Amino acid sequence: MAPVNADIVNGSKVTSPVKKTLPEVEDNGKRYSYEMLVETANFLLSKTDVRPVIGVICGSGMGSYWNEGSLAENISQPECIAYEDIPNFPISTVEGHHGKLVFGYISDVPVVAMQGRFHYYEGYPLWKCCLPVRVMKLLGVKALIATNAAGGLNPNYKIGDLMIVRDHINMMGFAGNNPLHGPNDERFGPRFPPMNKAYNYEFRKVAKEVAKELNIDNMVREGVYTCLGGPNFETVAELNMLKMLGVDAVGMSTVHEVITARHCDMSVFALSLITNECVTSYDHDAEANHEEVLDVGRMRQDILRDYVSKLVNRFVKYLPQNP
Ligand SMILES: O=P(O)(O)O[C@@H]1C[C@H](O)[C@@H](CO)O1
Ligand SMILES: Nc1nc2[nH]cnc2c(=O)[nH]1
């Protein structure tokens, strides 16, 4: 047996890249009330004059890391608020991830973008990962655009493709892990919300039209996304099971955000960037890795920025009007 690495055992010379002080993510079962989130929303409204109608969640490689050309970095008249300065907000713990809300304008539409999202694998319960979605609702946001990086399971998908999410399979929910688990506050939405129209039909239709206009329809697909808890990537057997279930792309986010958004009656559009091919054979040498995810994000950031900017401009006419 190989000798134990004494440097690690005695802890004196550890060179691990892990941050020395890990952030606190435990919530000790404490839930945040409607009133606490109103306080958070009022704080944000007091810091900016922007009154966002569309919320954007930037996935890995789409502005959640420092990418100058990304969508998040190209919001006009930006006003940024760090998560750590926002009352009741979690903080981003993913190494290299930004953690800020960006208020401003995309195609002249007032928006708020999350530059860095919260993942279950960071240690946050699902309801806390989705807390910003409820805050967006209280800010007046009517539609959510959630983007993510995902592994392509559909054999026709290529690295760098974009997948409009038609539907999802809530794998974590099958095991009872749901962002709506626990007491329901009707001020957000009903106890038993439907999910069969989770991804807005008009938005998906417009997204396909815009893909044609931008001449990127050859790389834009439409399919089913699933979220697993992560942080490990999947085994060959797991991926083959998901394939049988009809999953086209696999990631670690979005599903719970979409459930939370639909619960409070926001319209939803979601887009996956296919960053890697899911390995469904034991003969295949490739291994999924986060660097590849980021590299493909960088490679596609200009296209994503232009695509999502145009979508924001077109979605605006489908937003529900105030009574
Ligand atoms: O935030 P998203 O869903 O884009 O991030 C995916 C899932 C993991 O955080 C990461 C894996 O590389 O990409
Ligand atoms: N679960 C999962 N998340 C990803 N995010 C980017 N690629 C992948 C993948 O292959 N699997």
Side-chain angles (χ1 to χ4, degrees), residues 60 121 148-153 225-234 239 242 249-253 273-279 288-290 292-294:
S60 294
Y121 63 74
N148 60 59
L153 190 52
Y225 173 89
T226 199
C227 162
L228 302 181
N232 60 284
F233 293 104
E234 296 69 37
L239 289 169
L242 294 172
V250 189
M252 302 180 197
S253 66
L273 170 63
I274 305 302
T275 52
N276 54 291
E277 187 187 328
C278 289
V279 176
N289 66 84
H290 190 54
E292 184 182 18
V293 171
L294 299 184

Side-chain angles (χ1 to χ4, degrees), residues 57-107:
I57 303 179
C58 301
S60 294
M62 280 169 264
S64 49
Y65 291 77
W66 183 259
N67 291 332
E68 277 183 8
S70 69
L71 178 76
E73 296 290 334
N74 277 270
I75 290 176
S76 58
Q77 300 169 54
E79 293 178 49
C80 302
I81 307 177
Y83 294 160
E84 64 215 37
D85 296 334
I86 305 174
N88 307 320
F89 233 66
I91 49 166
S92 261
T93 72
V94 183
E95 196 78 24
H97 244 225
H98 283 288
K100 60 183 182 189
L101 282 184
V102 186
F103 289 84
Y105 297 85
I106 297 177
S107 311

